[in-house]
Amino acid sequence: MKKLYYSLIFAAATLGFASCSSNDGDDIDLSGTGITITDDSECCSAEEALLVYKFILTVKHVPELSFEVDGKYKVNAYTKTGSFHTGYNDIYFIASKKSTDNYVKNFDVKNLTPIMNMVKMGTYHSTPVSSGVSTVEDLPDAIKHGWVSFVMNSGEKGTWAISYDAEVLSSTGSIKDQTITVNALPEGQEWIKSFKIGEQVYFISLVNPTSWKTGTNNIKAYVSRKNLESLTTPWGVASEEFTVEAVPTMPDMGNHTSPDNTSWTKQSDGSYSGVLNLTMTGLWRIHLTVKDKDGNVVAGGDDLSDGYSSLYLDVTI
Amino acid sequence: MTLSLLLSSILLLPADTAILKTHDIDEVVVVSTGRQGAKRSIKGQVASIDEHLAELDHVNLIRRGSYAWEPVVNNMATERISTTIDGMKIFFACTDKMDPVTSYVESGNLQSISLNSGLNGNPQSTGNIGGSLDLKLRKVGFQPLSFEGEKNSIFHTNVSAGHEFNGHLQVYGADASYSSYGFYSNFGVFFRKAENYKTGGGEELNFSQFQKVNAFANLGVRLAERDILEGTIIFDRATDVGYPALNMDVAKAQGLITSLSFKHNFQESFLTSWETKAYYNHIIHVMDDTKRPDVEIHMDMPGDSWTTGLYSLLTGSNGTHDASLNYDLYYNRSFADMTMYPGGAAPMYMVTWPDVGTLNSGLALSDVISFPHNQSLNVSAKFAFQQQKLNNEEGYNALKVFFPGMKQDYYQTTGRVALSYAWRPEHWKLTFGTGWGSRAPTVTEAYGYYLNNTFDQYDYIGNPRLKNESAVEVNASAKWTKGRFSIGADANAFFFKNYIIGTFESRLSPMTVDAEGVKVYANVKSAKIVNVSLSSQWQALKWLKWSGRASYAIGRDAEDDNLPLISPFSYTSSLDFTHGDFSAQATVQGYAAQTDFGAKYGETRTPAYAILNLSASYNIHASKSLISIRAGVENLLDKSYTTYSDWNGIPQKGRNIYVNVNWGF
């Protein structure tokens, strides 16, 4: 009996050591991942590799945008669903060495360019895109992130293609005009809208509408400017500083609204953020009034017959 | 002399009615016990619970249809009164108050309904500022040993049937009992069904139908000479219940009520009895708008309420003291949600009661102290502590929009203390009482979410930051009896602090299409409610009795504006003829116009009315069986009228002829 007791203490002590020493990377179990850890300083440590591997499990592979560089590296692209939809889409890029399947510690993705071919009109245009592709806070540097907000879905009117360049260590490669499918959003969802200020055209894209719930939501959005000089050059984030007032209403409930919503203001990373209160699930119409730096209404804010701005986004939660 | 008479008459009563010896208790007997002088409905046992309740002084009923009326005591509704079933806590499951808990029992289940007016509540009641109702179950009880010490057993069967022509109301009931020295059981079923009724003048009131079935069983086992084990189960289900005053009906309102108790009766001790009861009840309530024409948005609005608890009551007496000590503990969960289906678009969902778990425990003490010269003093006090937790995350997050920083757990302590002094000099009975008590906000008041009130057309949001409401009560009564004549007056007044009522919030937008706006429950600084009544009886001849009663009440908020649903001046006057087994009654019942209506709270004026009711009954005694036949007509003159307590002014029944038979053998 006493023997068992001692051995239990011993087991507990060794377990304690094991968990303390896990930072050294020796005990990280990568079996089943296909990743081989070597002394290669260009690649991730076991700990980083596991983080990246776990991250990949939360997203879906996009084969159309994945390719090999120099026969040595694989560049893989991922989105939340493995496909694209109208409005804002996060895209993640991860490069790995073919020899070990371990992730490359650092690499670059450049010139992410979506182009729509308006088949019937014979014209081409781009769409709002992130300012560059970069690392993400709290994730290993091996994961690169960019976004594309599609102004419309693929269909009879036109098709979408994406190009980008990858620089992996000393090698470079690129994907050129790879056709992708942009799905339409279901009814009751409009996550991107345009507005005009003078001759300029802007787009407002909601980043996180799928995470909205009944209650208080921290919303994130981008305002991008259409590149009128060159329609096929990606449309970057607008440099102007706007304030966006948002009034959520439920058109099916006599325009029921919620209190204490805050204006969307520009953050240091270029995105807009504010608080939106949603009192129940269902279709919410987010009526927008865009103001410039001096507080002048520059878009929306007109009162329709129902008393709300005609510039709006729809989110069904 | 009077007191000892009273006491000796009590000793003859079954144990569970012994509570009558305390002050200020009013009681209506549902099932005839052969006791003289007790109140009962003119329609006898087949009368609905609501009709039985209407017999009680201080009680009014809010009607949203012909079923499930909401009892109001001293002009205070559900929030300010306590309703228990044989001491068991039970909570309704409808956010729109369509199911006061009194609707989950049937007449056949009950022996009597007792009412403690004001703060001097029964031991199990909490939050009873206006009063406490206890629905006493009909347990047939054990047979005592005969004088020769033999153990007898008795079978008894009772069947009843009734019909009311207005609305084609049918009532059928049957129950049976077996009772012996060591064992008893009684069980029965009850069925009630009504179609739409006709209002005065003959117009049919749509959506005033209902149907209900009820089954119950009681069981008692004498474990030892003075140890008793008792169990009860009641299943009650109402279906297809119309609510003409509301926008929705009820598809199903179902209650399951169960209890098990152990009781020890002491002998040769100052202790009388010690009873411990454990109970569980579950209520399911499902609203239904599918039968309504022109429904803009179809909605599902189900509600659930589970309560489990126990109480332990110790009673004792030594001649001068008649005391009781009660500990009770209960846990209730109330959940309700709403899904709206706009044509084609995504359904809209919200949690209207965020699965609020309430754990409440309390300790109550009461003592009736007898003094020389026919004086007595009744002291009662209760202290309760409660914990609440919002178990539904979605509902909590939604409410947090309106109350940023609100918590998921809340604690409240409430208490009450009441004193009542009675003196009975010759020909007189005088009482004076006072008390203080507080109540915690109800689930609706604290956590309700966009509950549409069709009375004032506002959506109501609960307020988790509410303080307890408290009130000071003073009451007095005087009764003078000489020979066959008696006259009495009684009055009570409640002075509230932090009175809880909805107040308009202009910055919030209503959810219900066509609602006037949003009200959020708030504590208003003060309010007062005063009730006065006069009553008189005169046994003019051996076969002729006159009785009359008039009541008046006022209710004012802190700004001296009228509170809603306060009764205007009302009166009844009746003549009773009795000759052997035949009795008949003629009653005039009326209300003055509601001129002191609470305009601020959406109430409107209701005109004065008076109606005339006639009834007669005859008992036929055969060997070992009793047949009672009752017949009558309500609203003989077919008046079209509505009272202040008819929700949204729905008209009352027009002329109604009824007949019912009860056969016990």
Side-chain angles (χ1 to χ4, degrees), chain B residues 68-122:
Chain B
W69 301 346
E70 181 185 357
V72 174
V73 179
N74 285 320
N75 286 293
M76 287 174 246
T78 308
E79 303 80 27
R80 293 178 177 86
I81 64 172
S82 153
T83 309
T84 48
I85 297 174
D86 243 12
M88 296 183 277
K89 296 278 186 182
I90 177 165
F91 296 90
F92 57 98
C94 174
T95 52
D96 290 351
K97 294 171 97 179
M98 291 158 121
D99 68 334
V101 294
T102 45
S103 69
Y104 292 103
V105 287
E106 246 307 339
S107 303
N109 308 148
L110 300 188
Q111 184 73 59
S112 63
I113 304 171
S114 75
L115 167 69
N116 293 32
S117 171
L119 288 160
N120 181 18
N122 63 53

Side-chain angles (χ1 to χ4, degrees), chain A residues 9 103 157 168 218 227 236 239 252:
Chain A
I9 288 178
Y103 311 111
K157 280 183 177 170
V168 188
N218 291 309
N227 203 327
S239 56
D252 297 321

Side-chain angles (χ1 to χ4, degrees), chain B residues 265-551:
Chain B
N265 291 309
F266 295 93
Q267 203 187 24
E268 291 166 9
S269 161
F270 66 95
L271 292 173
T272 314
S273 68
W274 184 19
E275 184 192 18
T276 301
K277 179 184 285 181
Y279 57 89
Y280 168 79
N281 57 67
H282 182 194
I283 288 177
I284 302 170
H285 192 264
V286 182
M287 285 187 237
D288 176 23
D289 62 3
T290 55
K291 295 192 176 111
R292 295 296 180 110
D294 311 320
V295 174
E296 235 169 299
I297 295 179
H298 163 63
M299 300 181 198
D300 280 340
M301 294 176 71
D304 266 83
S305 165
W306 305 260
T307 309
T308 183
L310 64 85
Y311 72 79
S312 195
L313 175 67
L314 187 64
T315 59
S317 93
N318 72 349
T320 39
H321 289 272
D322 214 322
S324 77
L325 178 69
N326 184 73
Y327 172 75
D328 67 311
L329 174 78
Y330 70 85
Y331 179 67
N332 168 261
R333 271 175 81 165
S334 294
F335 176 79
D337 60 9
M338 167 154 92
T339 314
M340 290 164 286
Y341 302 93
M348 295 177 274
Y349 177 83
M350 63 167 94
V351 175
T352 47
W353 276 350
D355 195 0
V356 181
T358 303
L359 180 68
N360 183 304
S361 65
L363 195 65
L365 195 78
S366 78
D367 193 9
V368 183
I369 310 159
S370 306
F371 294 104
H373 310 295
N374 296 329
Q375 297 175 88
S376 65
L377 185 68
N378 183 3
V379 188
S380 74
K382 181 160 189 175
F383 174 81
F385 174 73
Q386 102 176 6
Q387 255 173 292
Q388 286 187 311
K389 186 173 164 64
L390 279 60
N391 293 309
N392 185 282
E393 208 67 32
E394 185 170 357
Y396 167 63
N397 285 332
L399 206 52
K400 227 174 150 178
V401 164
F402 302 89
F403 300 94
M406 74 173 278
K407 297 173 291 175
Q408 221 164 340
D409 291 277
Y410 285 90
Y411 301 89
Q412 290 106 0
T413 49
T414 59
R416 61 176 157 86
V417 54
L419 272 175
S420 171
Y421 165 79
W423 182 35
R424 293 175 179 81
E426 202 184 2
H427 303 307
W428 286 93
K429 182 190 173 190
L430 302 166
T431 70
F432 171 77
T434 185
W436 174 91
S438 63
R439 71 173 182 99
T442 62
V443 168
T444 291
E445 288 167 339
Y447 315 110
Y449 193 67
Y450 280 105
L451 301 177
N452 182 245
N453 183 339
T454 53
F455 189 77
D456 60 5
Q457 300 295 340
Y458 280 83
D459 285 341
Y460 277 69
I461 295 178
N463 179 353
R465 295 182 187 146
L466 284 179
K467 289 185 224 135
N468 283 350
E469 174 184 293
S470 64
V472 169
E473 178 195 356
V474 286
N475 61 63
S477 75
K479 189 177 179 184
W480 184 76
T481 310
K482 182 136 195 217
R484 293 165 161 186
F485 179 77
S486 73
I487 185 161
D490 74 82
N492 59 40
F494 296 84
F495 302 96
F496 291 89
K497 204 180 145 194
N498 292 324
Y499 187 82
I500 298 171
I501 199 159
T503 56
F504 178 54
E505 276 285 347
S506 58
R507 68 189 197 96
L508 300 181
S509 135
M511 184 274 295
T512 308
V513 180
D514 304 332
E516 296 279 338
V518 175
K519 285 185 178 180
V520 175
Y521 285 99
N523 294 109
V524 303
K525 210 174 72 199
S526 65
K528 59 173 181 273
I529 293 175
V530 180
N531 300 284
V532 289
S533 70
L534 268 175
S535 59
S536 180
Q537 282 196 3
W538 182 35
Q539 187 79 46
L541 298 163
K542 198 183 168 208
W543 52 271
L544 180 66
K545 186 175 93 177
W546 171 84
S547 55
R549 182 177 166 83
S551 312

Side-chain angles (χ1 to χ4, degrees), chain B residues 55-317:
Chain B
E55 295 296 315
L56 294 166
D57 295 344
H58 302 284
V59 169
N60 291 94
L61 292 144
I62 297 174
R63 268 176 11 107
R64 295 172 174 86
S66 39
Y67 183 75
W69 301 346
E70 181 185 357
V72 174
V73 179
N74 285 320
N75 286 293
M76 287 174 246
T78 308
E79 303 80 27
R80 293 178 177 86
I81 64 172
S82 153
T83 309
T84 48
I85 297 174
D86 243 12
M88 296 183 277
K89 296 278 186 182
I90 177 165
F91 296 90
F92 57 98
C94 174
T95 52
D96 290 351
K97 294 171 97 179
M98 291 158 121
D99 68 334
V101 294
T102 45
S103 69
Y104 292 103
V105 287
E106 246 307 339
S107 303
N109 308 148
L110 300 188
Q111 184 73 59
S112 63
I113 304 171
S114 75
L115 167 69
N116 293 32
S117 171
L119 288 160
N120 181 18
N122 63 53
Q124 290 85 20
S125 64
T126 35
N128 55 298
I129 290 178
S132 60
L133 288 165
D134 191 38
L135 311 178
K136 300 194 180 300
L137 296 177
R138 182 157 68 97
K139 292 175 279 197
V140 67
F142 300 99
Q143 281 300 309
L145 292 178
S146 71
F147 283 116
E148 294 83 32
E150 283 167 20
K151 294 177 180 176
N152 299 320
S153 59
I154 289 182
F155 283 102
H156 190 79
T157 311
N158 195 73
V159 290
S160 52
H163 185 251
E164 299 193 7
F165 287 84
N166 189 344
H168 188 47
L169 170 73
Q170 308 164 69
V171 190
Y172 306 102
D175 57 74
S177 65
Y178 171 80
S179 169
S180 68
Y181 177 76
F183 175 81
Y184 78 79
S185 174
N186 62 319
F187 48 88
V189 288
F190 227 86
F191 177 76
R192 218 176 259 279
K193 183 180 165 65
E195 290 161 15
N196 289 338
Y197 69 77
K198 289 193 172 64
T199 65
E203 202 171 315
E204 183 175 323
L205 185 67
N206 282 331
F207 308 107
S208 57
Q209 82 290 350
F210 68 88
Q211 181 174 322
K212 134 163 201 164
V213 287
N214 176 288
F216 73 97
N218 293 303
L219 209 73
V221 180
R222 196 190 291 270
L223 300 173
E225 195 189 343
R226 276 179 283 280
D227 292 331
I228 292 166
L229 189 69
E230 288 178 305
T232 293
I233 182 162
I234 297 171
F235 177 78
D236 188 283
R237 177 152 73 182
T239 46
D240 188 25
V241 185
Y243 286 81
L246 306 177
N247 306 324
M248 297 191 95
D249 304 308
V250 165
K252 183 171 88 166
Q254 181 176 301
L256 174 70
I257 298 164
T258 60
S259 73
L260 191 67
S261 75
F262 176 77
K263 188 174 183 176
H264 178 77
N265 291 309
F266 295 93
Q267 203 187 24
E268 291 166 9
S269 161
F270 66 95
L271 292 173
T272 314
S273 68
W274 184 19
E275 184 192 18
T276 301
K277 179 184 285 181
Y279 57 89
Y280 168 79
N281 57 67
H282 182 194
I283 288 177
I284 302 170
H285 192 264
V286 182
M287 285 187 237
D288 176 23
D289 62 3
T290 55
K291 295 192 176 111
R292 295 296 180 110
D294 311 320
V295 174
E296 235 169 299
I297 295 179
H298 163 63
M299 300 181 198
D300 280 340
M301 294 176 71
D304 266 83
S305 165
W306 305 260
T307 309
T308 183
L310 64 85
Y311 72 79
S312 195
L313 175 67
L314 187 64
T315 59
S317 93

Side-chain angles (χ1 to χ4, degrees), chain B residues 45 118 266 319 343 548 553 600 631:
Chain B
Q45 193 183 331
F266 295 93
K600 194 160 130 186

Side-chain angles (χ1 to χ4, degrees), chain B residues 27-33 39-41 43-49 52-53 106-113 135-136 138 190 630:
Chain B
E27 189 187 37
V28 59
V29 169
V30 177
V31 175
S32 174
T33 51
K39 284 182 184 176
R40 60 184 56 117
S41 169
K43 288 183 186 172
Q45 193 183 331
V46 303
S48 69
I49 292 289
H52 289 299
L53 282 166
E106 246 307 339
S107 303
N109 308 148
L110 300 188
Q111 184 73 59
S112 63
I113 304 171
L135 311 178
K136 300 194 180 300
R138 182 157 68 97
F190 227 86
R630 289 183 172 80

